[in-house]
C-alpha cells in the first residue's frame, strides 16, 4: 500500500484544493488530490468564469452606447448565440483536460472519485465504477470540497425542476421568461445577464436587492434593472411553485401575486459540500460548514483541533469568504503551513503573518458584475457599526468626477469610504458605476496596509481618471485633526 501513502491528501480539486496541493508540492511534499466531478471546480465551469462571460458582451455594448460616436458604429443587437458560444469556451466546454495536464505537470497525483474520510488520516475514494482506493496521509488531510446551491423548502419548487446557478451558468439557450428567486449576488448578476440576452426577467427578493452592500450601490442596481425591464417583487417570497404539463412554471407569492414563467432560477444561498465527506468519522455533523482556527485546522465542537490536528479545511467549505480569490489566498497560506509543519518548523500566525489568512476578517474585496458594477472591500457603514467601530462614512457622486464624465456620457455612479475615527484609517470602501472594478485594488491596499488618512492625501490620482474620486472623497472627509 506504500503507493497510496502521501504526505497530504486533498479532497476536492476546485481552485482552492488545486492551490493547496500546488503549495505543498512546491515545498517538497507528496500530494494526492481527489475529485468527484471536474478538476477546476465550480468556479471554472459553473460559477465565476461562465457567468462573467455571460455578462461581458452586454457591458461592452453599454459602454459603446454611452459614447455617441462609437454608438453610431453599432448597427445591431446583442447576439445571444455568440455570447453563449464564447461562454462555452470560457467554461472549457466542460472538459478538464487542461487542468488535469496542469496537475500532472505540477507533480500532483489525481484520483477521480468521491473522497470520504474513513478513519484518522485515511481517505477512501470511490470511483464511478464503484471501486475503492484507500489513501493514507502522513501529515494532513485537507477538505476543499466547496459549496453548492441551497434550494429552500417551498411547496412544489423541487418538483418544478428549478435552475440553480449551475443551469443559469451553463444554459444552452436563453429562456423567453426567467423568474429569479433571491436578490443576492447570483440573483442580480443573472438578472443583469439574462435581461441583456433578451429574457423577460422577474425577481423575487424577500430581503431586497443586495442587502449586504451599501444602500447607495444596491439602489443604483435596482434602478438599472427596472430600466432594463426587470420586474422586481421585493419583500415577498414564493409560497408555492408548480410546473404544468406544458412546461410553464407558476409561482404564487406571499403578497398574493401570481407569476408565470418558462424557467425559475433559485439563487438563495449556498450549502457546504460536507454531507458525504465522512465528517461522522471525526465527530462532526455531515452537512455542516467547517469551523477552522487561524491555521485552517478543523475544529471540533469543543473548539479544539480535530484529532491531533491532521484535518484542515479551506475555501468555501469553511464559510469564511465564499469567493475564489479569498479561497486561493487561504490555499497559499495553507500550502506553506503544511510544509512548515511537516518539517517541524514554526508557523507564523501573527496578524498579517505569512501563514495567517487575516484578510478574511477585514479586507475581503468583491466585485459584483451587475449594471452598474459594484466593487467593495472591508466594512460597509452598517457592518462597521455592528462590529462596534466608531466610524465616519463619506460619499461622493462619481458622475461629478472629470474622468468619469469623459469615460461615458451620462456617467452615473457613487463611491463611499468608511473611516475608523479612532485609528484614522480606512476600513471600508464601496464604489458603484460602469467600469469601476479595477479601482478596487487601491482600496484593498489602503485597508490592509492601514494607511493613515493623512498619508492618503499624498497618493495622487492621475487626471483625468475615475480614480480621482479618491481625492474627492478625501476632500469630503476633510483633513484629519
Ligand atoms: C454563480 C456563481 C458565480 C460566482 N462568481 C464568482 C466570481 O466572479 N468571483 C469569485 O471570486 N467567486 C465567485 N463565485 C464563488 C466561487 O465560485 C467559489 O468561491 C469557489 O468556486 C470556491 O472554490 P472551492 O475550491 O472552495 O470550491 P469549489 O469550486 O466548489 O470546488 C470544490 C470541488 O470539490 C469537489 N468535491 C466536492 N465533494 C467532493 C468529494 N466528496 N470528493 C471529491 N471531490 C469533491 C467538487 O466536485 C469541486 O470540484 C461564484 C459562485 C457562484 C455560485
Amino acid at each position: 500500500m506504500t503507493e497510496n501513502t502521501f504526505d497530504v491528501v486533498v479532497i476536492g480539486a476546485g481552485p482552492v484544493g488545486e492551490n493547496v496541493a500546488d503549495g505543498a508540492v512546491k515545498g517538497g511534499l507528496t500530494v494526492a488530490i481527489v475529485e468527484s466531478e471536474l478538476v477546476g471546480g465550480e468556479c471554472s465551469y459553473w460559477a465565476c468564469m461562465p457567468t462573467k462571460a455571460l455578462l461581458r458582451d452586454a457591458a461592452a455594448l453599454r459602454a459603446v452606447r454611452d459614447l455617441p460616436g462609437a454608438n453610431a458604429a453599432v448597427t445591431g443587437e446583442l447576439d445571444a448565440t455568440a455570447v453563449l458560444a464564447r461562454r462555452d469556451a470560457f467554461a472549457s466546454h466542460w472538459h478538464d483536460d487542461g487542468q488535469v495536464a496542469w496537475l500532472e505537470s505540477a507533480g500532483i497525483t489525481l484520483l477521480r472519485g468521491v473522497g470520504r474520510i474513513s478513519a484518522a488520516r485515511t481517505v477512501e475514494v470511490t470511483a464511478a465504477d464503484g471501486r475503492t482506493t484507500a489513501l493514507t496521509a502522513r501529515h494532513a488531510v485537507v477538505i476543499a470540497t466547496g459549496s453548492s446551491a441551497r434550494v429552500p423548502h417551498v411547496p412544489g419548487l423541487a418538483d418544478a425542476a428549478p435552475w440553480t446557478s449551475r443551469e443559469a451558468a451553463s444554459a444552452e439557450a436563453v429562456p423567453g421568461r426567467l423568474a429569479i428567486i433571491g436578490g443576492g449576488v447570483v440573483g442580480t448578476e443573472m438578472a443583469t445577464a439574462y435581461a441583456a440576452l433578451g429574457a423577460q426577467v422577474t425577481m423575487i427578493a424577500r430581503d431586497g436587492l443586495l442587502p449586504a452592500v451599501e444602500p447607495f450601490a444596491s439602489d443604483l442596481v435596482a434602478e438599472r434593472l427596472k430600466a432594463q425591464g426587470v420586474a422586481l417583487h421585493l419583500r415577498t417570497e414564493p409560497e408555492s411553485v408548480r410546473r404544468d404539463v406544458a412546461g410553464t412554471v407558476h409561482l404564487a407569492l406571499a403578497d398574493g401575486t401570481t407569476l408565470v414563467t418558462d424557467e425559475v432560477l433559485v439563487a438563495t444561498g449556498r450549502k457546504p459540500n460536507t454531507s458525504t465527506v465522512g465528517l461522522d468519522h471525526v465527530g462532526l455533523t455531515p452537512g455542516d460548514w467547517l469551523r477552522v482556527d487561524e491555521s485552517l485546522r478543523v475544529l471540533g465542537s469543543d473548539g479544539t483541533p480535530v484529532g491531533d490536528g491532521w484535518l484542515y479545511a479551506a475555501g468555501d467549505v469553511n464559510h469564511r469568504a465564499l469567493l475564489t480569490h479569498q479561497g486561493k489566498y487561504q490555499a497559499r497560506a495553507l500550502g506553506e503551513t503544511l510544509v512548515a509543519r511537516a518539517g517541524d518548523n514554526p508557523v507564523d500566525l501573527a496578524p498579517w503573518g505569512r501563514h495567517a489568512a487575516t484578510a478574511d476578517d477585514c479586507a475581503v474585496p468583491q466585485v459584483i458584475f451587475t449594471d452598474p458594477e459594484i466593487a467593495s472591500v472591508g466594512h460597509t457603514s452598517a457592518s462597521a457599526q455592528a462590529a462596534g467601530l466608531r466610524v465616519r462614512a463619506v460619499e461622493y457622486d462619481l458622475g461629478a468626477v472629470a474622468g468619469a464624465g469623459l469615460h461615458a456620457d451620462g456617467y452615473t455612479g457613487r463611491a463611499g469610504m468608511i473611516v475608523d475615527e479612532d485609528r484614522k484609517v480606512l476600513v471600508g470602501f464601496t464604489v458603484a458605476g460602469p467600469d469601476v472594478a479595477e479601482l478596487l485594488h487601491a482600496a484593498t491596499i489602503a485597508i490592509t496596509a492601514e494607511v493613515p488618512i493623512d498619508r492618503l492625501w499624498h497618493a495622487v490620482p492621475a487626471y483625468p481618471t475615475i480614480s480621482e474620486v479618491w481625492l474627492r472623497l478625501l476632500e469630503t472627509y476633510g483633513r484629519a485633526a
Side-chain angles (χ1 to χ4, degrees), residues 11-17 34-38 40-43 46-48 51-52 113-115 144-147 165 186 189 270 273 276-277 314-317 322-325 369:
I11 311 177
V16 178
V34 186
E35 174 53 52
S36 57
E37 292 190 80
L38 295 178
E42 205 71 14
C43 181
W46 298 285
C48 327
T51 59
K52 268 75 250 181
V114 177
T145 50
S147 66
S165 50
V186 173
E189 283 190 347
R270 311 286 296 170
N273 293 333
T276 59
V277 86
D316 275 16
V317 79
L322 278 68
L323 290 162
T324 293
H325 45 272
F369 292 83

Side-chain angles (χ1 to χ4, degrees), residues 112-204:
R112 297 239 185 225
V114 177
R116 187 179 65 92
I117 295 160
S118 53
R121 293 188 161 80
T122 307
V123 174
E124 187 180 274
V125 183
T126 306
D129 62 8
R131 272 190 292 178
T132 60
T133 308
L135 301 175
T136 304
R138 275 187 212 97
H139 297 296
V141 173
V142 179
I143 303 179
T145 50
S147 66
S148 44
R150 191 173 60 79
V151 178
H153 297 290
V154 175
L157 180 58
D159 293 334
W163 280 10
T164 66
S165 50
R166 279 199 166 196
E167 288 73 26
S170 59
E172 287 176 11
V174 178
R177 296 168 295 185
L178 176 65
I180 300 176
I181 305 173
V185 176
V186 173
T188 49
E189 283 190 347
M190 290 303 90
T192 306
Y194 277 93
L197 290 168
Q200 192 186 318
V201 177
T202 303
M203 295 188 75
I204 305 129

Side-chain angles (χ1 to χ4, degrees), residues 176-352:
R177 296 168 295 185
L178 176 65
I180 300 176
I181 305 173
V185 176
V186 173
T188 49
E189 283 190 347
M190 290 303 90
T192 306
Y194 277 93
L197 290 168
Q200 192 186 318
V201 177
T202 303
M203 295 188 75
I204 305 129
R206 186 189 59 193
D207 302 326
L209 292 189
L210 297 170
V213 306
E214 293 286 11
F216 71 74
S218 50
D219 287 350
L220 285 171
V221 170
E223 273 170 36
R224 290 294 306 150
L225 284 172
K226 280 190 258 177
Q228 272 184 288
V230 175
L232 300 180
H233 296 266
L234 308 181
R235 315 284 163 204
T236 187
E237 59 190 324
E239 283 193 330
S240 68
V241 180
R242 177 177 63 87
R243 191 183 282 271
D244 66 24
V245 283
T248 303
V249 182
H250 305 258
L251 294 100
L253 306 189
D255 66 5
T257 311
T258 304
L259 300 174
V260 179
T261 183
D262 298 307
E263 299 294 348
V264 57
L265 163 62
V266 180
T268 51
R270 311 286 296 170
K271 63 177 184 194
N273 293 333
T274 57
S275 52
T276 59
V277 86
L279 292 187
D280 42 332
H281 285 278
V282 288
L284 297 173
T285 309
D288 278 0
W289 296 103
L290 294 173
R291 202 153 61 94
V292 292
D293 69 8
E294 310 92 296
S295 69
L296 303 167
R297 268 181 169 150
V298 175
L299 300 176
S301 50
D302 61 356
T304 63
V306 161
D308 59 1
W310 55 271
L311 186 62
Y312 293 78
D316 275 16
V317 79
N318 68 27
H319 209 223
R320 286 165 71 113
L322 278 68
L323 290 162
T324 293
H325 45 272
Q326 287 310 116
K328 285 161 74 172
Y329 162 72
Q330 292 173 19
R332 288 190 290 275
L334 180 52
E336 294 194 6
T337 301
L338 297 175
V339 172
R341 283 194 171 141
D344 283 330
N345 291 317
V347 167
D348 177 12
L349 291 173
W352 307 115

Side-chain angles (χ1 to χ4, degrees), residues 64-90:
V64 168
R65 290 230 155 111
D66 286 339
L67 296 166
N71 186 32
V74 177
T75 53
E77 292 302 314
L78 205 64
D79 178 346
T81 307
V83 172
L84 295 182
R86 185 166 184 269
R87 180 278 319 269
D88 291 355
F90 272 89

